[in-house]
């Protein structure tokens, strides 16, 4: 049925309310993207901290490994891994997180390379602080503003990746709604031309959410990055 006072966004071919599915699907989509982002941030921050702080052969090995992961065609790697492991929520979270940490790792490494040369870090080492304490108490907090900005922008990317997998039928399976699998109806020319209420609402939800997350990321960058001067 098309949109009406009873169903403000209409119903799908199974008679399910599109508005209710859109709201419920937002929880699934955002939870998958957020958990995947947390996994990626933890992996990337750990590798970046170790690589930037210790340098030498450790830095070379970790950065070459990072570059190898970066060379993988991300979408094809996601499709292959989801096809092998299955499209459950947890599998998608882990797969997106494991493939999405490289940018964070390079960012953190770059910051650590400059922070470790600062006087307060040298002073901490001079009074007997071990490497773990220096990393966790003195260097990591200084990298958090940059990680927060990159993570916010990475959330938008995770939402798009999750939606793309679900659109291709490789993500969370129906009847559990996500914005991506609600968009699968747009694969039909008839639906695109005559039933726009089935695909326009989830498409707008994805677009507006990604846009909002990017605005938040830009705002955090302006607020937290001391190198940017706001007139």
């Amino acid at each position: 049925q098309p949109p009406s006072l009873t169903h403000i966004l209409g119903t799908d071919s199974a008679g399910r309310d599109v508005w209710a599915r859109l709201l419920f699907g937002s929880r699934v989509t955002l939870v998958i993207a957020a958990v995947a982002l947390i996994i990626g941030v933890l992996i990337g921050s750990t590798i970046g901290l170790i690589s930037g702080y210790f340098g030498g052969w450790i830095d070379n090995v970790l950065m070459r490994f990072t570059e190898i992961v970066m060379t993988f065609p991300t979408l094809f790697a996601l499709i292959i891994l989801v096809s092998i492991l299955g499209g459950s929520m947890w599998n998608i979270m882990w797969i997106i997180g494991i493939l999405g940490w490289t940018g964070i790792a390079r960012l953190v490494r770059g910051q650590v390379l400059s922070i470790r040369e600062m006087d307060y870090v040298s002073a901490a080492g001079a009074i007997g602080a071990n490497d773990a304490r220096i990393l966790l108490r003195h260097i990591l907090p200084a990298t958090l503003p940059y990680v927060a900005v990159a993570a916010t922008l990475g959330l938008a990317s995770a939402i798009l990746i999750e939606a793309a997998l679900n659109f291709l039928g490789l993500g969370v399976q129906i009847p559990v709604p996500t914005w991506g699998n609600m968009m699968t109806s747009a694969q039909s020319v008839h639906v695109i031309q005559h039933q726009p209420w089935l695909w326009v609402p989830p498409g707008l939800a994805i677009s507006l959410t990604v846009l909002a997350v990017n605005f938040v990321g830009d705002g955090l960058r302006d607020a937290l990055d001391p190198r940017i001067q706001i007139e």
Side-chain angles (χ1 to χ4, degrees):
Q1 299 178 11
S4 64
L5 293 178
T6 305
H7 304 285
I8 60 174
L9 291 181
T11 62
D12 62 11
S13 58
R16 296 171 297 196
D17 186 86
V18 174
W19 170 247
R21 300 190 78 232
L22 186 72
L23 293 182
F24 188 87
S26 67
R27 299 193 304 174
V28 180
T29 296
L30 295 177
V31 165
I32 291 176
V35 174
L37 177 67
I38 292 171
I39 293 171
V41 168
L42 290 176
I43 296 174
S45 297
T46 301
I47 291 178
L49 282 170
I50 295 173
S51 178
Y53 181 74
F54 291 102
W57 67 270
I58 296 177
D59 182 33
N60 286 330
V61 170
L62 291 178
M63 284 300 100
R64 298 300 81 75
F65 173 68
T66 301
E67 290 167 2
I68 290 172
V69 175
M70 291 180 68
T71 60
F72 290 160
T74 304
L75 183 58
F76 292 121
L78 286 166
I79 292 173
I80 292 170
L81 290 174
V82 170
S83 300
I84 294 173
L85 300 176
S88 69
M89 285 182 60
W90 283 106
N91 286 344
I92 294 175
M93 291 174 187
W94 280 103
I95 291 170
I96 295 176
I98 288 172
L99 293 177
W101 55 267
T102 53
I104 297 288
R106 292 171 66 90
L107 172 66
V108 171
R109 173 184 176 270
Q111 295 300 319
V112 172
L113 286 175
S114 62
I115 295 171
R116 72 177 185 179
E117 303 299 331
M118 293 186 175
D119 292 340
Y120 73 91
V121 175
S122 301
I127 63 175
N130 57 32
D131 291 333
R133 183 176 179 83
I134 292 174
L135 278 172
L136 297 178
R137 294 295 299 274
H138 301 288
I139 294 180
L140 178 60
T143 66
L144 289 181
Y146 305 97
V147 172
V149 174
T152 305
L153 299 176
L155 179 63
S157 176
I159 292 172
L160 292 174
I161 292 173
E162 185 275 339
L165 287 175
N166 282 297
F167 178 76
L168 295 173
L170 298 172
V172 179
Q173 299 300 309
I174 295 172
V176 178
T178 70
W179 290 342
N181 65 27
M182 290 179 68
M183 288 285 294
T184 56
S185 59
Q187 295 177 3
S188 168
V189 176
H190 174 77
V191 171
I192 292 177
Q193 293 178 345
H194 303 289
Q195 297 173 332
W197 65 86
L198 294 180
W199 59 272
V200 170
L204 283 176
I206 294 171
S207 301
L208 293 176
T209 302
V210 170
L211 184 63
V213 170
N214 282 328
F215 281 147
V216 171
D218 288 341
L220 284 175
R221 182 184 60 186
D222 294 341
L224 300 178
D225 192 340
R227 295 172 298 181
I228 296 180
Q229 300 294 327
I230 304 177
E231 296 182 359

